[in-house]
Amino acid sequence: MRSYLNRDLMTGALIFGLGLAATLYAQSSYQLGTFRTPGPGLFPTLVSSLLTLVGVGLLLQALLAPVPETLPQFETRPFVLVMVAVAAFAVIFPYLGYALAVFALSLISSFAEDQMKLTRKLVLAAVVTGIAVLLFRGILGVRLPVFGMGGF
């Protein structure tokens, strides 16, 4: 007997459910308007509808793909490191700004990968930090403090 209960199926069901719930909420709570004169609910409805379609695609893929004999083992170390990285971001950001918080987030998260050398992890964290500063400060114009609460 074929087992359909796998990680891809559960992910597809979760994304489908979230997308559908968000779509129904956006349609019932906000006016859609038209594409010429969009209302406040048009963009959330479009995005959540796309999320629902992604969920349907994942569900179909999970149902049609061959199911492996053994399920992959849950790895605790990467999960814990990513959670610690997010917590470090939350602690560092208010005091040292988002540049150092993004650097710490990227660096700590990179330790989830065993085979990457420390120099590559440092370069990766620096590049991600540079992209974040360029994106938020330069392109989007978001006024978050880059270094410390005084700003930059």
Side-chain angles (χ1 to χ4, degrees):
M1 182 172 156
R2 182 178 166 142
S3 172
Y4 289 106
L5 187 61
N6 62 29
R7 182 172 44 187
D8 293 336
L9 183 71
M10 300 306 286
T11 303
L14 178 66
I15 291 175
F16 173 76
L18 287 173
L20 185 62
T23 301
L24 294 174
Y25 178 78
Q27 285 183 344
S28 65
S29 299
Y30 304 110
Q31 293 179 349
L32 291 178
T34 64
F35 283 109
R36 186 175 296 241
T37 57
L42 184 63
F43 184 72
T45 300
L46 289 174
V47 171
S48 57
S49 297
L50 288 174
L51 188 64
T52 304
L53 289 175
V54 168
V56 168
L58 288 172
L59 282 169
L60 289 174
Q61 180 182 0
L63 290 172
L64 299 175
V67 178
E69 293 295 323
T70 60
L71 293 176
Q73 294 286 3
F74 177 76
E75 296 185 34
T76 308
R77 184 173 164 261
F79 176 77
V80 169
L81 283 169
V82 170
M83 293 298 112
V84 168
V86 171
F89 179 89
V91 169
I92 293 170
F93 175 71
Y95 301 105
L96 300 176
Y98 77 88
L100 294 175
V102 168
F103 185 83
L105 173 80
S106 303
L107 184 63
I108 295 169
S109 295
S110 70
F111 282 98
E113 171 62 44
D114 289 334
Q115 299 179 9
M116 189 184 297
K117 294 181 181 180
L118 180 60
T119 54
R120 283 193 142 181
K121 292 177 182 182
L122 290 169
V123 168
L124 174 69
V127 168
V128 168
T129 302
I131 290 171
V133 170
L134 177 69
L135 177 67
F136 286 107
R137 188 65 154 196
I139 298 172
L140 297 175
V142 177
R143 294 290 177 203
L144 292 173
V146 177
F147 294 105
M149 289 312 292
F152 162 72

